[in-house]
Amino acid sequence: MPILVITGTGTEIGKTVTTAAVAATALAAGRTVAVLKPAQTGVRPDEHGDADEVARLAGDVRTLELARYPDPLAPATAARRAALPPVRPAEVAEAAAKLAAEYDVVLVEGAGGLLVRFDDEGGTLADAAELLAAPVLVVTSAGLGTLNATELTARELSRRNLHLTGIVLGSWPNSPDLATRCNLTDLPDVAEAPLLGALPAGAGALPPANFRTMAGTWLAPSLGGTWDASKFGAREAPL
């Protein structure tokens, strides 16, 4: 897993915290880690971005942003409004490949979902993943409505012949309702990919030392952790 692209089925579903958990687990195994955030939006130059948050939670990771735009919008729109150059998929692929020459693991965290546009020509994170021939991890929500969004994302990856490593639940509630519990069974089937973990709600608010200690328990062995889908009440693999 030298390069892993991490995307989501939407915004505010736990991509950054999941990226931090994957990074912390890799660091605990003695691997060097770099985190690439192609386009950071909605953050001023003096504020911490998503890559900074990954470093705060996970520890000693190299972070790299290719562009930062102040408006909390899709990168193409934010770049246009700021009169700044957009990020293009080829730039993302080049930056990730350079990091992969120096680090054991490179995590590329997208903005929003898989097809959020980087530029006005329609370049996306999916295009960058194609250029890299990199596997993709999809972070999704646990509750009602997640099945449709997850299946659409998985179908687009399949259409592009991109490997979907699996799906991770970005925020598992303390008291899951019926739909959330049923989704444990249905998500691997609609994605046609394994369920590779579940992060507890509020994980990102833990003290970094606690986060690093716990991170591996939230992720399956294929991501370096010890999370067991069957003990969680889930079926890891699709039928």
Side-chain angles (χ1 to χ4, degrees), residues 184-199:
L184 287 176
T185 297
D186 295 335
L187 275 166
D189 289 341
V190 302
E192 296 185 352
L195 186 60
L196 297 183
L199 275 67

Side-chain angles (χ1 to χ4, degrees), residues 63-147:
T63 61
L64 176 63
E65 279 182 12
L66 298 185
R68 177 175 285 210
Y69 309 113
D71 290 328
L73 303 168
T77 307
R80 189 167 61 248
R81 283 182 52 84
L84 291 171
V87 174
R88 303 192 188 280
E91 297 173 67
V92 180
E94 181 181 7
K98 286 182 179 179
L99 288 171
E102 300 180 45
Y103 294 86
D104 299 327
V105 177
V106 177
L107 305 176
V108 182
E109 184 194 342
L114 181 67
L115 298 183
V116 168
R117 294 190 171 199
F118 285 154
D119 57 40
D120 287 336
E121 288 70 48
T124 67
L125 185 66
D127 296 318
E130 282 188 280
L131 291 170
L132 290 163
V136 179
L137 181 69
V138 172
V139 182
T140 191
S141 59
L144 192 65
T146 192
L147 297 179

Side-chain angles (χ1 to χ4, degrees):
M1 187 184 62
I3 299 176
L4 179 65
V5 174
I6 300 178
T7 190
T9 55
T11 60
E12 304 299 325
I13 57 168
K15 285 192 305 297
T16 298
V17 180
T18 298
T19 301
V22 175
T25 303
L27 288 170
R31 307 176 79 183
T32 57
V33 179
V35 176
L36 172 62
K37 183 74 177 184
Q40 176 69 64
T41 66
V43 176
R44 298 192 309 267
D46 60 333
E47 292 181 314
H48 286 294
D50 292 342
D52 299 313
E53 180 65 3
V54 172
R56 184 187 73 84
L57 289 170
D60 186 19
V61 301
R62 162 76 186 281
T63 61
L64 176 63
E65 279 182 12
L66 298 185
R68 177 175 285 210
Y69 309 113
D71 290 328
L73 303 168
T77 307
R80 189 167 61 248
R81 283 182 52 84
L84 291 171
V87 174
R88 303 192 188 280
E91 297 173 67
V92 180
E94 181 181 7
K98 286 182 179 179
L99 288 171
E102 300 180 45
Y103 294 86
D104 299 327
V105 177
V106 177
L107 305 176
V108 182
E109 184 194 342
L114 181 67
L115 298 183
V116 168
R117 294 190 171 199
F118 285 154
D119 57 40
D120 287 336
E121 288 70 48
T124 67
L125 185 66
D127 296 318
E130 282 188 280
L131 291 170
L132 290 163
V136 179
L137 181 69
V138 172
V139 182
T140 191
S141 59
L144 192 65
T146 192
L147 297 179
N148 180 67
T150 302
E151 184 167 359
L152 288 171
T153 302
R155 285 190 181 191
E156 179 62 17
L157 290 170
S158 177
R159 186 183 73 82
R160 291 171 177 258
N161 294 315
L162 287 168
H163 175 60
L164 174 52
T165 296
I167 50 178
V168 170
L169 300 172
S171 180
W172 182 257
N174 294 324
S175 299
D177 60 17
L178 176 61
T180 300
R181 296 194 303 273
C182 289
N183 287 338
L184 287 176
T185 297
D186 295 335
L187 275 166
D189 289 341
V190 302
E192 296 185 352
L195 186 60
L196 297 183
L199 275 67
L206 291 172
N210 293 5
F211 183 93
R212 296 165 196 172
T213 298
M214 296 296 295
T217 68
W218 305 327
L219 301 172
S222 63
L223 292 175
T226 59
W227 185 80
D228 187 327
S230 62
K231 290 181 180 179
F232 194 76
R235 188 179 67 251
E236 180 179 336
L239 289 173

